[in-house]
Amino acid sequence: MDPSSHPLIASLRTHGPISGEEERVLLASIGPPRYVPIREDIVSEGDSPKESTVLLEGIAARYKHDERGNRRIIALHIPGDFVDLHSFLLPEIDHGIIAMTGCKVAGVPHRSINFLIDNHRGLARLFWLSTLVDASVHRAWLARFGAEAYGRTAGLICEMYLRLKSIGQAEGKSIRLPLTQNDVGDILKLSTVHVNRTIQALRHDGLVAWRGGVITIIDFEKLTAAAGFEARYLYMIEPTNVPDEVAR
Amino acid sequence: MDPSSHPLIASLRTHGPISGEEERVLLASIGPPRYVPIREDIVSEGDSPKESTVLLEGIAARYKHDERGNRRIIALHIPGDFVDLHSFLLPEIDHGIIAMTGCKVAGVPHRSINFLIDNHRGLARLFWLSTLVDASVHRAWLARFGAEAYGRTAGLICEMYLRLKSIGQAEGKSIRLPLTQNDVGDILKLSTVHVNRTIQALRHDGLVAWRGGVITIIDFEKLTAAAGFEARYLYMIEPTNVPDEVAR
DNA sequence: CGGTGATTTGAGTATGCTCAATGGGTGTGG
DNA sequence: CCACACCCATTGAGCATACTCAAATCACCG
């Protein structure tokens, strides 16, 4: 991965190759950056946006509200992710997207996406592929609910560590993931109190340190074992992005 | 929906239009039918298939095994579904697909899919769209875990009723869904015992009847309310498929 | 140095699980 | 035609994971 390139390009490259020409036309389609404050919607439930949004900086989440008004977080997004590429074909978005931290985003008009996929087969495939990987992550999250709190939490940490690492946002064995324990509960379907106790257990067992939004992996081996974690579902093509002790 | 047409065409048409020419070339790409006995894999975890599979008859499920060997069902498929269209772009499939009933399936070679999407823009979009709807259903299932057993079960029933109805497989307010209570537990992450008690509660409250693989909706209003069900995520374009009392 | 939001702790409770046994329906072989 | 086997649904009882409510502590920030 070339850290000098645009986050979207870098992210797409973790899944497949992009030619120089494709990179050029794609970059030309990205609108000006926009800043979204923490806890504000990037896209709201039920919107019919005319552009898709790329996350440039920060952490965003897709969410739905259930009948009781509780928030369920469906997916987490990191810089380079096309957070609502699917809105290009799905007329009305079935969930909201919220900034979990202050976020820098940019739009790509659906008109431009149309042009890109009609004229650049490689991009068309990469866009489709990118939404397929999204779906694969959804499936992994669904499977994760098979485990109890300890394993679910461990799995989430494994995933976010590898994903952030793949875009060059891990520093050694640490990642910055500024989520409150309440946020984590909305992701894992756990109460805040139980998230707290689960993280304490992970700390006590020497798997991770997690303080002030920084997660440090202490024992990746034990962490993946606790989670039953298999990185395959992330469909990353560059094993060099993955630390040696993790590569399978 | 034209009941005389091929299940795949009928199913794709619930999401978007297909021209006669597109229908012709698509049908020409579908291989001969194959029969898969109940509880056998249609596609196995880790396979790298050279074709994608269309379900023609029966119910299939995507599943993963967790570290303890428990099966987690990630998605259910009904006739007309392209159960592993994503394997066209994802090199190795991250989950298995199992026949929950005896199934009739047919393959479409990836080579043919390549040809179709390169030469028929409408089909390319519809294929992409179809995988996007899959992802949308994944998100709905993720959100469903926010509810407890009663609501989760109600939601599953709502979804399967509408989906089966949309392909003409509902008889009035009844659908045939021959899953054991153990299967339902693998879907909803409930023990068999608790599935039994939950279904009894739904019966007792007059929401559904469920006997011998046949689910009859008694009170759809109450059922959707219990589930917090919103049909939007299914992205069906023909509201006429939806019974009046359900249309929103 | 007070205020706000996040983390942490304690205690009682509830949803759902495990284990174990029973009942019902169906298909098959003697 | 009946007996048996098998699979699935059902019931009971005790238990565990995770929840709720409430309060205390901590950390950061103006």
Side-chain angles (χ1 to χ4, degrees), chain B residues 39 180-181 193 196-197 200 203:
Chain B
R39 259 159 272 227
T180 67
Q181 294 181 354
V193 170
N196 183 281
R197 293 184 167 129
Q200 282 181 55
R203 271 200 286 253

PDB file of all heavy atoms in Angstrom, chain B residues 39 180-181 193 196-197 200 203, chain D residues 7-14:
ATOM      1  N   ARG B  39     -29.832 -31.494   3.859  1.00  0.00           N
ATOM      2  CA  ARG B  39     -28.673 -31.475   4.764  1.00  0.00           C
ATOM      3  C   ARG B  39     -27.339 -31.746   4.091  1.00  0.00           C
ATOM      4  O   ARG B  39     -26.365 -32.068   4.767  1.00  0.00           O
ATOM      5  CB  ARG B  39     -28.864 -32.470   5.924  1.00  0.00           C
ATOM      6  CG  ARG B  39     -29.306 -31.726   7.190  1.00  0.00           C
ATOM      7  CD  ARG B  39     -29.979 -32.618   8.171  1.00  0.00           C
ATOM      8  NE  ARG B  39     -31.393 -32.679   7.871  1.00  0.00           N
ATOM      9  CZ  ARG B  39     -32.356 -32.540   8.769  1.00  0.00           C
ATOM     10  NH1 ARG B  39     -32.041 -32.384  10.024  1.00  0.00           N
ATOM     11  NH2 ARG B  39     -33.615 -32.569   8.423  1.00  0.00           N
ATOM     12  N   THR B 180     -36.705 -27.391  11.044  1.00  0.00           N
ATOM     13  CA  THR B 180     -36.925 -27.891  12.401  1.00  0.00           C
ATOM     14  C   THR B 180     -36.692 -26.739  13.379  1.00  0.00           C
ATOM     15  O   THR B 180     -36.083 -25.726  13.036  1.00  0.00           O
ATOM     16  CB  THR B 180     -35.946 -29.023  12.737  1.00  0.00           C
ATOM     17  OG1 THR B 180     -34.627 -28.478  12.804  1.00  0.00           O
ATOM     18  CG2 THR B 180     -35.985 -30.123  11.704  1.00  0.00           C
ATOM     19  N   GLN B 181     -37.158 -26.927  14.599  1.00  0.00           N
ATOM     20  CA  GLN B 181     -36.954 -25.891  15.603  1.00  0.00           C
ATOM     21  C   GLN B 181     -35.471 -25.745  15.913  1.00  0.00           C
ATOM     22  O   GLN B 181     -35.009 -24.674  16.308  1.00  0.00           O
ATOM     23  CB  GLN B 181     -37.769 -26.216  16.851  1.00  0.00           C
ATOM     24  CG  GLN B 181     -39.265 -26.158  16.560  1.00  0.00           C
ATOM     25  CD  GLN B 181     -40.133 -26.441  17.763  1.00  0.00           C
ATOM     26  OE1 GLN B 181     -39.641 -26.793  18.839  1.00  0.00           O
ATOM     27  NE2 GLN B 181     -41.434 -26.293  17.587  1.00  0.00           N
ATOM     28  N   VAL B 193     -34.808 -25.656  22.681  1.00  0.00           N
ATOM     29  CA  VAL B 193     -35.834 -25.574  23.718  1.00  0.00           C
ATOM     30  C   VAL B 193     -36.482 -24.193  23.742  1.00  0.00           C
ATOM     31  O   VAL B 193     -37.706 -24.059  23.825  1.00  0.00           O
ATOM     32  CB  VAL B 193     -35.222 -25.890  25.095  1.00  0.00           C
ATOM     33  CG1 VAL B 193     -36.201 -25.576  26.208  1.00  0.00           C
ATOM     34  CG2 VAL B 193     -34.784 -27.338  25.155  1.00  0.00           C
ATOM     35  N   ASN B 196     -38.754 -23.536  20.836  1.00  0.00           N
ATOM     36  CA  ASN B 196     -40.048 -24.176  21.079  1.00  0.00           C
ATOM     37  C   ASN B 196     -40.940 -23.293  21.948  1.00  0.00           C
ATOM     38  O   ASN B 196     -42.100 -23.039  21.627  1.00  0.00           O
ATOM     39  CB  ASN B 196     -39.813 -25.523  21.755  1.00  0.00           C
ATOM     40  CG  ASN B 196     -41.104 -26.282  21.969  1.00  0.00           C
ATOM     41  OD1 ASN B 196     -41.834 -25.992  22.903  1.00  0.00           O
ATOM     42  ND2 ASN B 196     -41.400 -27.215  21.080  1.00  0.00           N
ATOM     43  N   ARG B 197     -40.377 -22.801  23.025  1.00  0.00           N
ATOM     44  CA  ARG B 197     -41.181 -21.983  23.947  1.00  0.00           C
ATOM     45  C   ARG B 197     -41.587 -20.663  23.318  1.00  0.00           C
ATOM     46  O   ARG B 197     -42.676 -20.144  23.572  1.00  0.00           O
ATOM     47  CB  ARG B 197     -40.400 -21.754  25.240  1.00  0.00           C
ATOM     48  CG  ARG B 197     -40.234 -23.059  25.997  1.00  0.00           C
ATOM     49  CD  ARG B 197     -39.556 -22.929  27.342  1.00  0.00           C
ATOM     50  NE  ARG B 197     -39.752 -24.197  28.072  1.00  0.00           N
ATOM     51  CZ  ARG B 197     -38.795 -24.903  28.644  1.00  0.00           C
ATOM     52  NH1 ARG B 197     -37.558 -24.461  28.641  1.00  0.00           N
ATOM     53  NH2 ARG B 197     -39.074 -26.034  29.252  1.00  0.00           N
ATOM     54  N   GLN B 200     -44.383 -21.285  20.923  1.00  0.00           N
ATOM     55  CA  GLN B 200     -45.609 -21.487  21.707  1.00  0.00           C
ATOM     56  C   GLN B 200     -46.202 -20.160  22.152  1.00  0.00           C
ATOM     57  O   GLN B 200     -47.428 -19.965  22.130  1.00  0.00           O
ATOM     58  CB  GLN B 200     -45.309 -22.343  22.931  1.00  0.00           C
ATOM     59  CG  GLN B 200     -45.186 -23.808  22.608  1.00  0.00           C
ATOM     60  CD  GLN B 200     -44.916 -24.622  23.860  1.00  0.00           C
ATOM     61  OE1 GLN B 200     -45.666 -24.554  24.830  1.00  0.00           O
ATOM     62  NE2 GLN B 200     -43.833 -25.376  23.849  1.00  0.00           N
ATOM     63  N   ARG B 203     -47.871 -18.516  19.255  1.00  0.00           N
ATOM     64  CA  ARG B 203     -49.146 -19.213  19.016  1.00  0.00           C
ATOM     65  C   ARG B 203     -50.174 -18.769  20.044  1.00  0.00           C
ATOM     66  O   ARG B 203     -51.300 -18.392  19.703  1.00  0.00           O
ATOM     67  CB  ARG B 203     -48.952 -20.727  19.162  1.00  0.00           C
ATOM     68  CG  ARG B 203     -48.560 -21.417  17.885  1.00  0.00           C
ATOM     69  CD  ARG B 203     -48.851 -22.897  17.965  1.00  0.00           C
ATOM     70  NE  ARG B 203     -47.913 -23.623  18.817  1.00  0.00           N
ATOM     71  CZ  ARG B 203     -46.966 -24.438  18.360  1.00  0.00           C
ATOM     72  NH1 ARG B 203     -46.808 -24.629  17.064  1.00  0.00           N
ATOM     73  NH2 ARG B 203     -46.169 -25.069  19.182  1.00  0.00           N
TER      74      ARG B 203
ATOM     75  P    DC D   7     -32.371 -40.245  13.468  1.00  0.00           P
ATOM     76  OP1  DC D   7     -31.315 -40.303  12.437  1.00  0.00           O
ATOM     77  OP2  DC D   7     -32.031 -40.246  14.904  1.00  0.00           O
ATOM     78  O5'  DC D   7     -33.255 -38.969  13.182  1.00  0.00           O
ATOM     79  C5'  DC D   7     -34.296 -39.025  12.195  1.00  0.00           C
ATOM     80  C4'  DC D   7     -35.388 -38.068  12.586  1.00  0.00           C
ATOM     81  O4'  DC D   7     -36.246 -38.692  13.576  1.00  0.00           O
ATOM     82  C3'  DC D   7     -34.895 -36.765  13.215  1.00  0.00           C
ATOM     83  O3'  DC D   7     -35.527 -35.694  12.553  1.00  0.00           O
ATOM     84  C2'  DC D   7     -35.331 -36.860  14.673  1.00  0.00           C
ATOM     85  C1'  DC D   7     -36.562 -37.727  14.561  1.00  0.00           C
ATOM     86  N1   DC D   7     -36.955 -38.455  15.794  1.00  0.00           N
ATOM     87  C2   DC D   7     -38.318 -38.538  16.117  1.00  0.00           C
ATOM     88  O2   DC D   7     -39.139 -38.000  15.368  1.00  0.00           O
ATOM     89  N3   DC D   7     -38.681 -39.193  17.241  1.00  0.00           N
ATOM     90  C4   DC D   7     -37.755 -39.760  18.013  1.00  0.00           C
ATOM     91  N4   DC D   7     -38.186 -40.406  19.119  1.00  0.00           N
ATOM     92  C5   DC D   7     -36.372 -39.693  17.704  1.00  0.00           C
ATOM     93  C6   DC D   7     -36.011 -39.035  16.585  1.00  0.00           C
ATOM     94  P    DC D   8     -34.966 -34.231  12.675  1.00  0.00           P
ATOM     95  OP1  DC D   8     -34.806 -33.749  11.289  1.00  0.00           O
ATOM     96  OP2  DC D   8     -33.844 -34.217  13.639  1.00  0.00           O
ATOM     97  O5'  DC D   8     -36.181 -33.449  13.324  1.00  0.00           O
ATOM     98  C5'  DC D   8     -37.500 -33.665  12.826  1.00  0.00           C
ATOM     99  C4'  DC D   8     -38.496 -33.400  13.916  1.00  0.00           C
ATOM    100  O4'  DC D   8     -38.424 -34.460  14.889  1.00  0.00           O
ATOM    101  C3'  DC D   8     -38.273 -32.102  14.689  1.00  0.00           C
ATOM    102  O3'  DC D   8     -39.370 -31.232  14.420  1.00  0.00           O
ATOM    103  C2'  DC D   8     -38.214 -32.529  16.156  1.00  0.00           C
ATOM    104  C1'  DC D   8     -38.810 -33.925  16.130  1.00  0.00           C
ATOM    105  N1   DC D   8     -38.313 -34.835  17.193  1.00  0.00           N
ATOM    106  C2   DC D   8     -39.233 -35.385  18.076  1.00  0.00           C
ATOM    107  O2   DC D   8     -40.428 -35.102  17.966  1.00  0.00           O
ATOM    108  N3   DC D   8     -38.785 -36.207  19.061  1.00  0.00           N
ATOM    109  C4   DC D   8     -37.484 -36.486  19.149  1.00  0.00           C
ATOM    110  N4   DC D   8     -37.091 -37.309  20.131  1.00  0.00           N
ATOM    111  C5   DC D   8     -36.531 -35.936  18.251  1.00  0.00           C
ATOM    112  C6   DC D   8     -36.981 -35.111  17.287  1.00  0.00           C
ATOM    113  P    DA D   9     -39.471 -29.821  15.110  1.00  0.00           P
ATOM    114  OP1  DA D   9     -40.228 -28.962  14.182  1.00  0.00           O
ATOM    115  OP2  DA D   9     -38.160 -29.399  15.632  1.00  0.00           O
ATOM    116  O5'  DA D   9     -40.422 -30.152  16.339  1.00  0.00           O
ATOM    117  C5'  DA D   9     -41.724 -30.627  16.068  1.00  0.00           C
ATOM    118  C4'  DA D   9     -42.480 -30.819  17.366  1.00  0.00           C
ATOM    119  O4'  DA D   9     -41.827 -31.825  18.161  1.00  0.00           O
ATOM    120  C3'  DA D   9     -42.577 -29.578  18.257  1.00  0.00           C
ATOM    121  O3'  DA D   9     -43.917 -29.500  18.710  1.00  0.00           O
ATOM    122  C2'  DA D   9     -41.589 -29.841  19.386  1.00  0.00           C
ATOM    123  C1'  DA D   9     -41.618 -31.359  19.475  1.00  0.00           C
ATOM    124  N9   DA D   9     -40.385 -31.986  19.917  1.00  0.00           N
ATOM    125  C8   DA D   9     -39.131 -31.831  19.384  1.00  0.00           C
ATOM    126  N7   DA D   9     -38.203 -32.557  19.984  1.00  0.00           N
ATOM    127  C5   DA D   9     -38.905 -33.233  20.966  1.00  0.00           C
ATOM    128  C6   DA D   9     -38.512 -34.161  21.947  1.00  0.00           C
ATOM    129  N6   DA D   9     -37.249 -34.590  22.084  1.00  0.00           N
ATOM    130  N1   DA D   9     -39.465 -34.647  22.774  1.00  0.00           N
ATOM    131  C2   DA D   9     -40.725 -34.224  22.616  1.00  0.00           C
ATOM    132  N3   DA D   9     -41.225 -33.360  21.736  1.00  0.00           N
ATOM    133  C4   DA D   9     -40.248 -32.898  20.937  1.00  0.00           C
ATOM    134  P    DT D  10     -44.399 -28.273  19.564  1.00  0.00           P
ATOM    135  OP1  DT D  10     -45.865 -28.163  19.374  1.00  0.00           O
ATOM    136  OP2  DT D  10     -43.524 -27.128  19.292  1.00  0.00           O
ATOM    137  O5'  DT D  10     -44.149 -28.768  21.047  1.00  0.00           O
ATOM    138  C5'  DT D  10     -44.873 -29.884  21.520  1.00  0.00           C
ATOM    139  C4'  DT D  10     -44.395 -30.261  22.909  1.00  0.00           C
ATOM    140  O4'  DT D  10     -43.039 -30.751  22.848  1.00  0.00           O
ATOM    141  C3'  DT D  10     -44.360 -29.124  23.944  1.00  0.00           C
ATOM    142  O3'  DT D  10     -45.399 -29.378  24.872  1.00  0.00           O
ATOM    143  C2'  DT D  10     -42.973 -29.220  24.578  1.00  0.00           C
ATOM    144  C1'  DT D  10     -42.502 -30.592  24.139  1.00  0.00           C
ATOM    145  N1   DT D  10     -41.046 -30.809  24.032  1.00  0.00           N
ATOM    146  C2   DT D  10     -40.452 -31.700  24.885  1.00  0.00           C
ATOM    147  O2   DT D  10     -41.067 -32.315  25.747  1.00  0.00           O
ATOM    148  N3   DT D  10     -39.109 -31.857  24.716  1.00  0.00           N
ATOM    149  C4   DT D  10     -38.298 -31.223  23.778  1.00  0.00           C
ATOM    150  O4   DT D  10     -37.102 -31.459  23.722  1.00  0.00           O
ATOM    151  C5   DT D  10     -38.987 -30.300  22.911  1.00  0.00           C
ATOM    152  C7   DT D  10     -38.216 -29.558  21.865  1.00  0.00           C
ATOM    153  C6   DT D  10     -40.310 -30.135  23.071  1.00  0.00           C
ATOM    154  P    DT D  11     -45.843 -28.304  25.913  1.00  0.00           P
ATOM    155  OP1  DT D  11     -47.288 -28.506  26.123  1.00  0.00           O
ATOM    156  OP2  DT D  11     -45.318 -27.000  25.485  1.00  0.00           O
ATOM    157  O5'  DT D  11     -45.069 -28.746  27.236  1.00  0.00           O
ATOM    158  C5'  DT D  11     -45.257 -30.069  27.734  1.00  0.00           C
ATOM    159  C4'  DT D  11     -44.292 -30.333  28.876  1.00  0.00           C
ATOM    160  O4'  DT D  11     -42.981 -30.619  28.340  1.00  0.00           O
ATOM    161  C3'  DT D  11     -44.088 -29.176  29.859  1.00  0.00           C
ATOM    162  O3'  DT D  11     -44.543 -29.587  31.133  1.00  0.00           O
ATOM    163  C2'  DT D  11     -42.590 -28.914  29.848  1.00  0.00           C
ATOM    164  C1'  DT D  11     -42.016 -30.176  29.272  1.00  0.00           C
ATOM    165  N1   DT D  11     -40.756 -29.999  28.523  1.00  0.00           N
ATOM    166  C2   DT D  11     -39.688 -30.793  28.822  1.00  0.00           C
ATOM    167  O2   DT D  11     -39.714 -31.660  29.685  1.00  0.00           O
ATOM    168  N3   DT D  11     -38.569 -30.554  28.064  1.00  0.00           N
ATOM    169  C4   DT D  11     -38.429 -29.604  27.065  1.00  0.00           C
ATOM    170  O4   DT D  11     -37.379 -29.486  26.458  1.00  0.00           O
ATOM    171  C5   DT D  11     -39.596 -28.794  26.815  1.00  0.00           C
ATOM    172  C7   DT D  11     -39.545 -27.738  25.757  1.00  0.00           C
ATOM    173  C6   DT D  11     -40.684 -29.030  27.539  1.00  0.00           C
ATOM    174  P    DG D  12     -44.562 -28.621  32.381  1.00  0.00           P
ATOM    175  OP1  DG D  12     -45.749 -29.039  33.151  1.00  0.00           O
ATOM    176  OP2  DG D  12     -44.391 -27.224  31.937  1.00  0.00           O
ATOM    177  O5'  DG D  12     -43.255 -29.035  33.188  1.00  0.00           O
ATOM    178  C5'  DG D  12     -42.904 -30.407  33.332  1.00  0.00           C
ATOM    179  C4'  DG D  12     -41.651 -30.516  34.170  1.00  0.00           C
ATOM    180  O4'  DG D  12     -40.495 -30.501  33.291  1.00  0.00           O
ATOM    181  C3'  DG D  12     -41.433 -29.379  35.176  1.00  0.00           C
ATOM    182  O3'  DG D  12     -41.027 -29.946  36.412  1.00  0.00           O
ATOM    183  C2'  DG D  12     -40.343 -28.529  34.540  1.00  0.00           C
ATOM    184  C1'  DG D  12     -39.556 -29.550  33.746  1.00  0.00           C
ATOM    185  N9   DG D  12     -38.876 -29.031  32.565  1.00  0.00           N
ATOM    186  C8   DG D  12     -39.398 -28.200  31.605  1.00  0.00           C
ATOM    187  N7   DG D  12     -38.558 -27.917  30.656  1.00  0.00           N
ATOM    188  C5   DG D  12     -37.399 -28.603  31.003  1.00  0.00           C
ATOM    189  C6   DG D  12     -36.146 -28.690  30.355  1.00  0.00           C
ATOM    190  O6   DG D  12     -35.797 -28.148  29.302  1.00  0.00           O
ATOM    191  N1   DG D  12     -35.244 -29.494  31.056  1.00  0.00           N
ATOM    192  C2   DG D  12     -35.531 -30.139  32.232  1.00  0.00           C
ATOM    193  N2   DG D  12     -34.550 -30.861  32.758  1.00  0.00           N
ATOM    194  N3   DG D  12     -36.703 -30.074  32.854  1.00  0.00           N
ATOM    195  C4   DG D  12     -37.579 -29.296  32.178  1.00  0.00           C
ATOM    196  P    DA D  13     -40.875 -29.075  37.718  1.00  0.00           P
ATOM    197  OP1  DA D  13     -41.324 -29.902  38.846  1.00  0.00           O
ATOM    198  OP2  DA D  13     -41.464 -27.719  37.489  1.00  0.00           O
ATOM    199  O5'  DA D  13     -39.287 -28.921  37.797  1.00  0.00           O
ATOM    200  C5'  DA D  13     -38.453 -30.066  37.606  1.00  0.00           C
ATOM    201  C4'  DA D  13     -37.009 -29.645  37.764  1.00  0.00           C
ATOM    202  O4'  DA D  13     -36.492 -29.201  36.486  1.00  0.00           O
ATOM    203  C3'  DA D  13     -36.794 -28.483  38.736  1.00  0.00           C
ATOM    204  O3'  DA D  13     -35.612 -28.713  39.469  1.00  0.00           O
ATOM    205  C2'  DA D  13     -36.669 -27.277  37.817  1.00  0.00           C
ATOM    206  C1'  DA D  13     -35.914 -27.919  36.638  1.00  0.00           C
ATOM    207  N9   DA D  13     -36.056 -27.218  35.369  1.00  0.00           N
ATOM    208  C8   DA D  13     -37.131 -26.498  34.911  1.00  0.00           C
ATOM    209  N7   DA D  13     -36.965 -25.994  33.713  1.00  0.00           N
ATOM    210  C5   DA D  13     -35.694 -26.407  33.357  1.00  0.00           C
ATOM    211  C6   DA D  13     -34.909 -26.190  32.199  1.00  0.00           C
ATOM    212  N6   DA D  13     -35.324 -25.498  31.153  1.00  0.00           N
ATOM    213  N1   DA D  13     -33.676 -26.747  32.170  1.00  0.00           N
ATOM    214  C2   DA D  13     -33.251 -27.453  33.226  1.00  0.00           C
ATOM    215  N3   DA D  13     -33.894 -27.725  34.364  1.00  0.00           N
ATOM    216  C4   DA D  13     -35.124 -27.162  34.365  1.00  0.00           C
ATOM    217  P    DG D  14     -35.271 -27.844  40.747  1.00  0.00           P
ATOM    218  OP1  DG D  14     -35.198 -28.781  41.880  1.00  0.00           O
ATOM    219  OP2  DG D  14     -36.126 -26.645  40.785  1.00  0.00           O
ATOM    220  O5'  DG D  14     -33.777 -27.395  40.408  1.00  0.00           O
ATOM    221  C5'  DG D  14     -32.832 -28.375  39.997  1.00  0.00           C
ATOM    222  C4'  DG D  14     -31.737 -27.697  39.202  1.00  0.00           C
ATOM    223  O4'  DG D  14     -32.284 -27.124  37.981  1.00  0.00           O
ATOM    224  C3'  DG D  14     -31.054 -26.530  39.937  1.00  0.00           C
ATOM    225  O3'  DG D  14     -29.659 -26.658  39.718  1.00  0.00           O
ATOM    226  C2'  DG D  14     -31.629 -25.296  39.252  1.00  0.00           C
ATOM    227  C1'  DG D  14     -31.774 -25.816  37.826  1.00  0.00           C
ATOM    228  N9   DG D  14     -32.676 -25.065  36.962  1.00  0.00           N
ATOM    229  C8   DG D  14     -33.936 -24.596  37.245  1.00  0.00           C
ATOM    230  N7   DG D  14     -34.492 -23.960  36.229  1.00  0.00           N
ATOM    231  C5   DG D  14     -33.528 -24.025  35.236  1.00  0.00           C
ATOM    232  C6   DG D  14     -33.542 -23.521  33.912  1.00  0.00           C
ATOM    233  O6   DG D  14     -34.447 -22.890  33.347  1.00  0.00           O
ATOM    234  N1   DG D  14     -32.360 -23.802  33.235  1.00  0.00           N
ATOM    235  C2   DG D  14     -31.300 -24.494  33.772  1.00  0.00           C
ATOM    236  N2   DG D  14     -30.242 -24.673  32.985  1.00  0.00           N
ATOM    237  N3   DG D  14     -31.269 -24.980  34.998  1.00  0.00           N
ATOM    238  C4   DG D  14     -32.413 -24.706  35.669  1.00  0.00           C
TER     239       DG D  14
END
